[in-house]
Each structure stands twice: as C-alpha cells, then as structure tokens.
Amino acid sequence: MSIQTAVVRPSEIKRLQGMLRGWDARLRLRQSIDWLPKGLLIGLLLTFVLALAARLWPIVPQRDLIMLGILLTVLSVAGAQLGVWLWKRTPFQLARRFDVLFGLKEHISTALELGHGVLPAESQVLAHQQLDQALRLAGKVNPARYISLLPERRARAWWGGVLIALLASGLAIFLPNPQEQVLAQQAEVEQAIAQTLEELEHLREQAMADPSLTPEQQLAVVEALDEAIETLSQRDVSQEEALAALDATQQSLRDLSEQFAAEQQQALQQASGLFNGTAAQEVADALAEGDFQEAGEALQNIDPSTLTPEQQQQLAQSLQAAADALQGSDPQTAQALEDAAQALQSGDPAAAGQALDQAGQAMAQSGGKSTARVDQYADQVEKGQSSVSKAGKNPGNQPGQGGMGQAPGGQGTTNQNGQGRGSSGSGRGESNGDGGPGGQAGDQMPTDNGPGDGGERDYEDIFSPQRVGGEGGEEVDIPGDPGAGMPTGVEGDLAANPSGSSNVPYNEVWSDYEGAVNQALDSGHIPLGLRDLIKNYFGSLDPKK
C-alpha cells in the first residue's frame, strides 16, 4: 500500500504544530518552576558537602567557599533550567503527550501522523475530516486548566528542603573553622617563599654582573643560588623543603666565601716577591708572612711625595704586575692596585697617595677568612630563610629579630671585616653586630604550665643555685686589697652560715628550662633530625604528665 503525503493540507498541519509548540512552551515553563527548587537544593547540598570537607581539611578559605557555594548553586539552577528548555521533543511526542494530558483521545497524534505520511491515507476525505476534527478539538482546549503555573503542594516539600540546606550550608560556612588558621599559615608560607624566590632571582642577576668577582666566581655563586631557585620554583613546595634548600645554598655560599678568600690570600702571597727592592718592601715582607692587615697598612703608609721619580716608576711597575697577577682571583684588589699604579705613573703624588690608601684597604680586606661580597649574598639568603621559617607561626612563637649572631654553643671566628661566624651542629651563624638569633626555627614545645586535670601536687626538690635566665642577688664587697699580696676578707667572729640547702620544687623551675629549650630550637642551629628527639625528651619531663 502506498503512503500518500499530499492528502492533508500543509497549512493546517503547520497550524496544528503551532498549537503544539504553544502548549509545549507552557509545559516547559511549568517544569522550569518545578525544577527551580530542585536546582537550588542540588547546589546547596554540594555547597554543604564542600563546606564540611573544608572543615576537615584545609582546602579552601571561607571567602572562596562563599563564592564557590554561590557558583555551584547558580550552575545547578542554570543546569536544571537549561535541561528543561533544551530537552528535544518531536512533534509526534508532543502530540501523544497532549492527547493524554488534555483527553483528546489521540485525535492530535493521528492527524499529525496522517499529515506527515506516517499513517497511510486510504481516503482523502477521511484524512481531511480527521484533521478538521483535530483542529476543532485543539481550539477548544484551555491549556491553563491543565497546566497551572502555581506551585503545587509537593513543591512545598522541595522548598522546605532548600531552606534546610541553606541553613546547614550557612552554619557550615560561617561557624568558626579551625582550618582557617591552617590556610592562613599556608598562605603566609607561600607568600614568604614567593618573596624569597623573587629576592633570590634578583641576587642571581647581581652576582652575574658583580665586578668584584671573577667570571668563574660569578658562575659558582650563580650555581649555588640556582639550586635554591629551582626548589622554590617547584609547585606546592613545602616549607621544610624550602628551608632545606635555602640552608644548603647558604652553606654553599659560606664555603665559596672561604674558598675565594683562601685563593685571594694565596695569590697575594705569591705576588709578594714583586714588591722586593721597591719602596713597598715592607708590603712584600708582610705578604710573605701572611699578614695581610700589616701589608695593607704598609701600603697605605707609603708617601709618594717622598719618593724619587725612579722609585715611583719602580713602585708603579710592581703594583701593575701585582694587579695582573691578582686579576684571576681578586679583581677588586687588582683594580685598586692598578689605579694606584696609574696614579704613580701620572706623577700626581696626591692622587697616588689616595689610590695607595684604597689599594691598602682592599689588600687588608683580602686577608679575611671569608669574602665580604659573597658573605653578603649568604646573608641575604639567610634573611630569606629566616622569613620563610617565621612564616605561618604565631607572633609569640616567632624567633627573635636581628642579624646573625653566634649560635648557642657554637664557636665563633671573626674576619677582618668584622663579621663573626658561629656554628652548632649543622647550623651556621653570621654576625654583623645586630645580635639576634637567625636561621631556621625549630618546633615549639607547649608552654602551658598550669596544673593539669588532677590539680596541684608536690614535686621533688632539685638543686638549683642559679635559675636559667635568673638574675643575681645582692652584690657584696669583700674588704681587703687583692693586689697587696695579702688574703682578702676580715678575721674574727662572724655570723654562722645559714643552714639548709639551695633546693626549689621541680615544677617551679620547669618553665625556665622549657623556655631555654624552645629558644634553642628556635635558633635554627640544631640538626633537623634531633629536634623531635629533644622535644620529645623534654616533653616527657613535663610535671603535668
């Protein structure tokens, strides 16, 4: 049987389809109203879950959580509405649906199928009658009667769920969250690492263009800085990793400083023979003995105005030769010696005297145990290490401010530039006279020494003639002259010594010793591997336990 597609009037089919589209628009509007609370509920539930997770783990701060909650809710509502309005429905699906919804007994779907040739039309008259009847019935339909836009009773349950979810999400977001402090500490650490990284990159540029270093020395300093830059540039680098990298770079720079100083001193000693037989004979003798301070002073004491022209030229030649010999190890001193040689060759005694003073100064500085310029790079790295170490800690637990003083228990050595160095364990300190602890800070021990749950109790007395950090008592002058060779003091009947012993309760001195331990851990000069051991040991001595 052939299928006839032209038996039904096309204009009337388009009219019927237009009615279907109008009904479908109202139906979608009804569904969008129904899905509004559902979309809100989904978004609020997702926000609540995220807020709960943020209270268990430090994943997102409160300000971002609020924005994420709003975004999730908007996306959920938008997704629900887009699903309602973009869901594709064919005219045949709409016809069948509205036949059932409006009670049209398949008149609409049958007419539509005849019009599109889905059903065979055996009689053109019957097909026209079917279409006319479908249009007549469709025209009598009032869609507002069957598709109301007012909320139904079941919608109240959805809106109740939205209210509960909104309240729960608000409480989860705005109640005090212990993870906020952790996030703040992490943000502070990240900021400190980023700032230190920027400073390291700036130091790297300075080192590459530093005229006081040879190209080989510049390369060595840059390589040491690159190790820390590479570590701090990594994503999600931890505070411990950053501190370890900065400490290693600082140690490398300190070692390079000593190495460069030794090379400079060796070059100066080898150049001592160049001054023999000249007006700088004292300089040659002092350099040969390794007394660079004396050599610098001897060079400064030379008065060019008292030298003959021949002596000036001879001294200028020796200074130029020494400058050439030092160019590969100490360009700063070499430049100062070359300036002095040129001033002598020009025949200007005043300029020559000033140049000799500067050259003597540079020579004296070369006799230090370390290189001042490289020490400055190491000091800058240490400041960055101290900044990263203090980041994320409570103000009361931060180590003291100041320069790099001698570490507790360390041995100090001082170079000619007045820079001190101290070390204890794996740490190292550098002092510029500011005198504060520097370097990596250790973990803090709890300092709450109040009574525990069991109340106060008696503790064993311990011998404590002087409390840690305590102050001395009254000063007593002893009669007599200790320089006269006679015993000091007085003879005669004296008051009896007081009886008893110098004991105090254990719990009264615990806080003093605990503070000393915390200060030692803060100093950064205790090896990382021993800090937990020390903290656990003194923690076990806590009288509250």
Side-chain angles (χ1 to χ4, degrees), residues 192 196 199 243 246 379-389:
T196 302
E199 294 173 354
L243 289 173
L246 291 170
D379 291 342
Q380 292 297 321
V381 173
E382 190 215 11
K383 288 181 180 179
Q385 180 184 6
S386 177
S387 175
V388 174
S389 176

Side-chain angles (χ1 to χ4, degrees), residues 205-270:
E205 295 177 358
Q206 288 183 343
M208 292 178 64
D210 196 333
S212 65
L213 302 176
T214 66
E216 293 78 11
Q217 292 172 344
Q218 292 176 358
L219 180 60
V221 172
V222 167
E223 288 179 351
L225 293 172
D226 283 343
E227 294 179 1
I229 291 175
E230 181 181 359
T231 300
L232 269 62
S233 299
Q234 295 176 0
R235 185 177 181 181
D236 298 331
V237 60
S238 67
Q239 185 179 24
E240 292 76 14
E241 292 172 341
L243 289 173
L246 291 170
D247 182 70
T249 296
Q250 182 192 162
Q251 298 290 349
S252 297
L253 291 175
R254 302 289 185 198
D255 294 339
L256 288 175
S257 176
E258 295 178 357
Q259 176 186 336
F260 296 163
E263 293 173 353
Q264 293 170 4
Q265 294 164 14
Q266 183 180 3
L268 280 172
Q269 285 183 305
Q270 292 175 352

